[in-house]
């Protein structure tokens, strides 16, 4: 479920450390001795002197000099440089890199974001000294943070020519061509014209920005009461990584399902009506823009930690998925499989028709077929189990304060124990008992309905609990039914009495000794969305009031005591109640007619059909 993480969580972006020159503690004596060579094996001069004096490295040297790397490679800092020779790295290619660098400088692009430095210069330089041997294959980190596989013959598949050339401040290798730059999943999105719409959201400056880190910066003098910094360090932050995972990180591996431009547009247009926020809600314009796009984005990223090739044969768990079944049950009262997609590699699966693009930290899966239903992501069941706004009150006759009142109802939470026959038949194995304080008066309770979508058809159920669920020895009087009338507050419409499925205004009578699903309204739509809305006066609410006459009380026909398990809102048509499980997995369910269905044997999951996994989950909780 999409939460408020966007408002509060900030996930650090591209690591600064990999782009910052740090002091090297290696000594050349240690390195030289590890190779078993004599001191004469170290060539005179610096790395820059070696590169600039080699005529077959002149094109590479010209790029280094234009990008101000001459003093860096001519200093005391220790590096390993992989230099492509002129045979395959031409003057025209060098000039293209130089022109690109200068254009970015002229456009005031920060050096740490300059793509020439990151994708070419730093892609051929590593901090510290790295030698090769036929006895091992190493993984090294380049200055741009990319991992490279270094053997005695190649780096990332590019052939090494001259090897282990030791100089006063590092090691020099020559290559037969330049090393290709593999972008991260996040970087690739910015480069592909078919993903422009997705890129404009992921790279929106509202979510993607730099933040100054004074703790890592070098302080200088104080001017006019403000600290001046000799060297300022910034972190790149993207708040959307709360949903996608660290798709910018070289230390993680992801599969990222990316809708192409037309598909992105179709999905956003489809979801926008669901997020019509009230005019008075704080930051309305931002929410109206952000939430439909997050609805597309959430559930599209898959960490390889939980999605191996073998696991993907069964299901794919996105970064939004609650992986542990116990946690799912604690959150949803059932182990719902939101943000988890079964048989994803099949033709109609989530990853069934994609164009794969290899990246340094995973794969981008470009697609025009979006085979993920909103019923498996943000369009979830809505529960209200204990979100009570108010209960009925009467004026306190003993008080002189005109506004002083007392509640006419006593509320008590009850929990269903594991030895009770109703255990695991109530959502959360709990219910609230509302008992009248004055025997001659009807009373009411108002529940808040959280996180409803606008223009979404909901079937609204009042789930009533039997007295026996809390007390297996409950008396006949305690087990009597009650009669209620329900009124809904729709923030866009005001109050209206709910109708039953037959379209008439009516009261509803509970069924004794049953977990009773009372269908209050079918395909009901809210005008405005309350997803993550905190303002109390903008919340959707349901008022439940008893409608029991005194004669029914005297004759022990009904009671004014209400036992409410929850208010349940489900996307229209996705909940089917049955008396018993079908005899075989996959066989049709037998729906129970009428409003009062008694104790249901199974609740279907939001995808609207039985699956083998649904049955396993059902049996686990019995």
């Amino acid at each position: 479920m999409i939460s408020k993480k966007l408002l509060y969580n900030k996930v650090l972006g591209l690591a600064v450390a990999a782009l910052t020159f740090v002091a090297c503690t290696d000594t050349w004596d240690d390195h030289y001795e590890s190779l078993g060579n004599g001191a004469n094996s170290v060539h005179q001069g610096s790395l820059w002197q070696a590169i600039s004096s080699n005529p077959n490295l002149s094109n590479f040297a010209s790029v280094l000099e234009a990008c101000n790397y001459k003093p860096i490679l001519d200093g005391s800092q220790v590096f390993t440089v992989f230099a492509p020779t002129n045979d395959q790295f031409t003057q025209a290619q060098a000039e293209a890199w130089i022109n690109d660098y200068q254009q970015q400088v002229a456009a005031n692009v920060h050096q740490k974001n300059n793509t020439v430095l990151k994708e070419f210069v730093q892609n051929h330089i590593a901090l510290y000294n790295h030698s090769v041997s036929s006895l091992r294959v190493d993984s090294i980190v380049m200055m741009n943070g990319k991992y490279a596989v270094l053997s005695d013959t190649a780096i990332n598949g590019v052939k090494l020519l001259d090897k282990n050339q030791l100089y006063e401040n590092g090691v020099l290798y020559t290559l037969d061509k330049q090393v290709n730059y593999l972008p991260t999943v996040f970087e690739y999105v910015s480069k592909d014209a078919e993903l422009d719409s997705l890129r404009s959201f992921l790279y929106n400056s509202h979510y993607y920005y730099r933040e100054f880190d004074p703790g890592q910066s070098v302080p200088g003098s104080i001017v006019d009461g403000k600290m001046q910094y000799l060297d300022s360090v910034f972190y790149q932050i993207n708040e959307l990584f709360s949903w996608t995972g660290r798709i910018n990180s070289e230390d993680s591996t992801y599969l990222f399902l990316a809708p192409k431009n037309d598909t992105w547009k179709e999905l956003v247009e489809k979801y926008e009506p669901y997020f019509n926020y009230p005019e008075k809600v704080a930051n309305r314009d931002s929410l109206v823009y952000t939430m439909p796009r997050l609805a597309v984005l959430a559930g599209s990223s898959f960490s390889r930690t939980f999605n191996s090739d073998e696991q993907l044969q069964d299901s794919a768990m996105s970064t939004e998925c609650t992986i542990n079944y116990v946690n799912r049950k604690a959150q949803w009262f059932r182990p719902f499989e939101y943000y988890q997609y079964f048989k994803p590699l099949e033709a109609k699966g989530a990853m069934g028709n994609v164009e794969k693009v290899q990246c340094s930290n995973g794969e981008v899966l470009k697609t025009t077929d979006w085979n993920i239903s909103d019923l498996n992501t943000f369009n979830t069941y809505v529960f209200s189990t204990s979100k009570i706004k108010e209960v009925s009150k009467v004026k306190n006759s003993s008080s002189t304060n005109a506004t002083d009142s007392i509640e006419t109802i006593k509320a008590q939470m009850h929990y269903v124990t594991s030895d009770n026959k109703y255990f695991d038949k109530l959502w959360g194995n709990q219910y609230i008992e509302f008992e009248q304080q004055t025997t001659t008066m009807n009373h009411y309770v108002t529940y808040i309905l959280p996180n409803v979508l606008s223009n979404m058809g909901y079937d609204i159920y009042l789930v009533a609990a039997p007295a026996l669920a809390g007390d297996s020895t409950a008396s006949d009087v305690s087990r009597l039914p009650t009669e209620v009338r329900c009124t809904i507050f729709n923030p866009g419409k005001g109050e209206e009495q709910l109708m039953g499925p037959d379209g008439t205004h009516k009261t509803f009578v509970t069924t004794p000794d049953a977990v009773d699903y009372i269908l209050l309204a079918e395909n009901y739509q809210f005008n405005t969305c309350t997803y993550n809305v905190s303002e109390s006066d903008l919340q959707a609410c349901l008022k439940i009031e008893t409608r029991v006459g005194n004669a029914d009380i005297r004759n022990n026909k009904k009671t004014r005591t209400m036992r409410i398990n929850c208010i349940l809102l489900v996307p229209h048509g996705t909940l089917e109640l049955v008396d018993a499980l079908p005899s075989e997995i996959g066989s049709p369910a037998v729906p129970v007619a009428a409003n009062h269905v008694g104790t249901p044997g199974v609740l279907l999951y939001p995808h609207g059909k039985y699956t083998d996994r649904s049955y396993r989950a059902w049996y686990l909780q019995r």
Side-chain angles (χ1 to χ4, degrees):
M1 176 178 179
I2 299 177
S3 66
K4 294 186 179 179
K5 289 184 283 188
L6 179 63
L7 304 177
Y8 302 108
N9 290 355
K10 295 183 178 179
V11 184
L12 298 183
L14 303 174
V16 176
L19 305 181
T20 305
F21 305 127
V22 297
C24 178
T25 59
D26 290 358
T27 67
W28 275 113
D29 288 340
D30 292 340
H31 178 68
Y32 151 72
E33 290 173 1
S34 70
L35 295 177
N37 298 324
N40 292 334
S41 297
V42 179
H43 300 293
Q44 296 295 316
S46 66
L47 286 168
W48 171 252
Q49 290 169 337
I51 294 169
S52 61
S53 64
N54 187 336
N56 202 27
L57 299 179
S58 60
N59 295 331
F60 183 62
S62 66
V63 178
L64 293 178
E65 186 168 16
C67 295
N68 301 314
Y69 265 66
K70 173 183 175 180
I72 294 172
L73 296 179
D74 203 27
S76 59
Q77 181 75 35
V78 176
F79 298 98
T80 298
V81 179
F82 301 88
T85 62
N86 293 351
D87 297 332
Q88 294 294 327
F89 183 60
T90 66
Q91 182 178 354
Q93 290 174 309
E95 289 175 351
W97 283 116
I98 293 170
N99 290 336
D100 191 359
Y101 174 79
Q102 292 173 343
Q103 289 175 11
Q104 293 186 53
V105 170
N108 294 319
V109 175
H110 194 275
Q111 288 286 292
K112 288 171 183 172
N113 296 327
N114 191 295
T115 58
V116 176
L117 296 182
K118 187 172 185 179
E119 297 181 11
F120 180 75
V121 175
Q122 294 172 348
N123 203 45
H124 289 83
I125 303 175
L127 292 172
Y128 315 127
N129 53 75
H130 298 280
S131 60
V132 295
S133 166
S134 61
L135 301 178
R136 69 178 189 273
V137 174
D138 294 327
S139 175
I140 66 173
V141 182
M142 309 308 289
M143 283 187 64
N144 57 10
K146 299 291 178 181
Y147 288 91
V149 177
L150 178 62
S151 71
D152 68 326
T153 60
I155 177 172
N156 277 3
V158 177
K159 184 179 179 180
L160 302 177
L161 300 177
D162 295 321
K163 313 172 191 177
N164 291 341
Q165 297 298 303
L166 310 183
Y167 289 87
E168 293 175 358
N169 65 336
V171 185
L172 177 64
Y173 295 83
T174 59
L175 311 177
D176 71 342
K177 60 182 179 181
Q178 60 181 312
V179 179
N180 288 332
Y181 177 84
L182 268 182
T184 63
V185 167
F186 179 63
E187 292 169 333
Y188 178 80
V189 171
S190 71
K191 299 175 180 294
D192 192 327
E194 291 186 308
L195 303 178
D196 281 348
S197 298
L198 175 59
R199 179 207 58 79
S200 66
F201 183 60
L202 282 178
Y203 281 80
N204 188 307
S205 60
H206 182 74
Y207 319 111
Y208 184 53
Y209 51 88
R210 292 195 310 149
E211 188 166 277
F212 176 62
D213 185 354
Q216 298 296 322
S217 301
V218 179
S221 59
I222 297 178
V223 178
D224 296 331
K226 294 183 178 181
M227 175 65 69
Q228 306 299 306
Y229 290 88
L230 302 176
D231 181 31
S232 298
V233 174
F234 292 83
Y235 287 112
Q236 195 73 36
I237 290 174
N238 195 321
E239 297 177 8
L240 298 179
F241 292 157
S242 297
W243 278 268
T244 64
R246 296 289 300 278
I247 58 173
N248 67 315
S249 172
E250 300 289 351
D251 295 321
S252 303
T253 308
Y254 290 93
L255 300 175
F256 185 69
L257 197 60
K260 294 183 181 180
N261 292 330
D262 288 346
T263 304
W264 173 272
K265 181 180 179 182
E266 291 173 5
L267 289 168
V268 170
E269 289 178 352
K270 176 184 177 182
Y271 295 161
E272 280 178 332
Y274 302 157
F275 297 97
N276 176 36
Y277 283 88
E279 293 292 337
K280 295 181 180 180
V281 75
N283 302 313
R284 180 183 186 275
D285 291 344
S286 177
L287 289 170
V288 167
Y289 171 81
T290 301
M291 297 308 293
R293 289 160 178 80
L294 277 183
V296 179
L297 189 64
S300 63
S301 183
F302 308 85
S303 170
R304 277 300 218 167
T305 302
F306 305 106
N307 294 279
S308 66
D309 288 345
E310 181 180 0
Q311 289 168 322
L312 289 176
Q313 298 300 316
D314 175 62
S315 66
M317 293 186 176
S318 73
T319 55
E320 284 290 296
C321 176
T322 303
I323 295 171
N324 185 287
Y325 270 61
V326 174
N327 292 340
R328 291 182 186 184
K329 188 174 180 181
Q331 181 177 355
W332 294 103
F333 315 123
R334 293 287 190 277
F336 283 123
E337 289 145 351
Y338 293 125
Y339 295 101
Q340 180 177 359
Y341 319 120
F342 295 105
K343 302 299 181 184
L345 303 181
E346 293 184 354
K348 292 299 182 180
M351 305 174 186
N353 186 16
V354 298
E355 177 185 340
K356 296 182 180 180
V357 180
Q358 187 63 46
C359 298
S360 63
N361 65 341
E363 291 179 323
V364 172
L365 310 179
K366 297 167 55 177
T367 185
T368 56
D369 293 338
W370 198 254
N371 293 325
I372 295 177
S373 169
D374 57 81
L375 294 173
N376 271 87
T377 55
F378 66 93
N379 190 8
T380 63
Y381 283 25
V382 176
F383 297 92
S384 185
T385 56
S386 57
K387 297 181 182 296
I388 298 173
K389 183 177 182 179
E390 63 181 2
V391 296
S392 54
K393 298 178 181 179
V394 295
K395 183 181 180 302
N396 187 350
S397 58
S398 63
S399 174
T400 57
N401 188 340
T403 61
D404 194 11
S405 59
I406 57 175
E407 296 179 352
T408 64
I409 191 171
K410 180 178 71 174
Q412 182 178 0
M413 179 71 77
H414 290 266
Y415 297 93
V416 185
T417 58
S418 59
D419 59 348
N420 189 289
K421 70 177 184 178
Y422 294 97
F423 183 75
D424 263 343
K425 294 182 179 179
L426 290 170
W427 299 93
N429 284 313
Q430 62 187 36
Y431 66 90
I432 301 179
E433 183 178 79
F434 299 96
E435 187 177 5
Q436 69 276 21
Q437 298 282 67
T438 55
T439 57
T440 59
M441 293 180 61
N442 284 296
H443 52 259
Y444 71 86
V445 58
T446 301
Y447 276 77
I448 294 174
L449 306 177
N451 296 318
V452 298
L453 300 172
S454 55
N455 303 300
M456 168 63 65
Y458 286 107
D459 296 336
I460 303 177
Y461 292 88
L462 167 62
V463 185
L468 291 173
D471 180 5
S472 58
T473 63
S475 66
D476 291 343
V477 173
S478 298
R479 293 157 58 188
L480 291 172
T482 189
E483 185 171 358
V484 297
R485 182 178 71 180
C486 297
T487 305
I488 200 164
F489 175 74
N490 185 329
K493 290 183 179 179
E495 285 192 357
E496 58 178 319
Q497 185 178 343
L498 282 182
M499 297 182 289
D502 58 358
T504 61
H505 296 285
K506 59 189 293 186
T507 58
F508 303 91
V509 180
T510 62
T511 303
D513 300 343
V515 178
D516 198 2
Y517 281 68
I518 303 175
L519 182 58
L520 303 179
E522 192 172 24
N523 203 20
Y524 184 87
Q525 295 189 11
F526 294 91
N527 296 68
T528 54
C529 167
T530 65
Y531 218 98
N532 290 339
V533 171
S534 59
E535 292 89 336
S536 59
D537 60 332
L538 299 179
Q539 298 289 339
C541 299
L542 181 71
K543 181 179 181 180
I544 308 164
E545 52 187 330
T546 57
R547 278 293 179 264
V548 179
N550 290 331
D552 285 335
I553 298 292
R554 289 193 301 271
N555 296 325
N556 285 335
K557 290 185 176 181
K558 295 177 184 175
T559 178
R560 291 194 177 104
T561 299
M562 297 186 290
R563 297 176 183 88
I564 299 176
N565 172 220
C566 70
I567 314 302
L568 176 62
L569 284 69
V570 301
H572 176 57
T574 62
L575 174 64
E576 188 173 6
L577 304 168
V578 299
D579 276 332
L581 283 171
S583 58
E584 296 180 2
I585 292 174
S587 62
V590 181
V592 176
N595 273 355
H596 306 290
V597 298
T599 302
V602 68
L603 300 174
L604 296 193
Y605 287 118
H607 43 67
K609 62 182 180 181
Y610 287 114
T611 67
D612 179 59
R613 186 65 60 88
S614 296
Y615 276 88
R616 292 204 299 272
W618 188 87
Y619 280 120
L620 284 174
Q621 62 173 305
R622 299 305 290 172

